[in-house]
Amino acid sequence: MNNTFLDKLLEIKELKNSLYSVLKHHFLYQSNKIEGSTFATEELALLLDKNVVTGRHTLDDVQETVNSSYVFDAIIDSLKEKIIHSFLSNLTLGS
């Protein structure tokens, strides 16, 4: 599969304020908000970028947001791979 956009996205994954970071923050904010997350965009950015929690959030809300971040990265990293049962099992187990 030849996907220049995905290749470039993966190249800039670790850069601060990159397109990858913007997409990740926006996606996590929107998807977690649907689930009832109490994080504002600025609070989410602090959690994802600096591991700092500000405001009043339940432990479950923080943990769900952190887990969503790991799943987002795992999905993006595996976009070129075939989906198999063990991959899906690892996502649900958090491995």
Side-chain angles (χ1 to χ4, degrees), residues 3-49:
N3 190 331
T4 306
F5 176 75
L6 180 57
D7 293 337
K8 292 296 181 189
L9 193 63
L10 291 171
E11 280 181 31
I12 62 171
K13 180 179 175 183
E14 301 302 323
L15 298 176
K16 292 193 183 296
N17 299 320
S18 68
L19 177 60
Y20 184 92
S21 177
V22 171
L23 289 173
K24 181 176 178 177
H25 287 205
H26 185 72
F27 177 83
L28 292 177
Y29 174 79
Q30 297 299 331
S31 64
N32 286 352
K33 194 55 108 178
I34 291 169
E35 297 295 325
S37 175
T38 58
F39 279 95
T41 54
E42 297 83 11
E43 295 169 331
L44 178 68
L46 275 173
L47 175 60
L48 296 176
D49 297 339

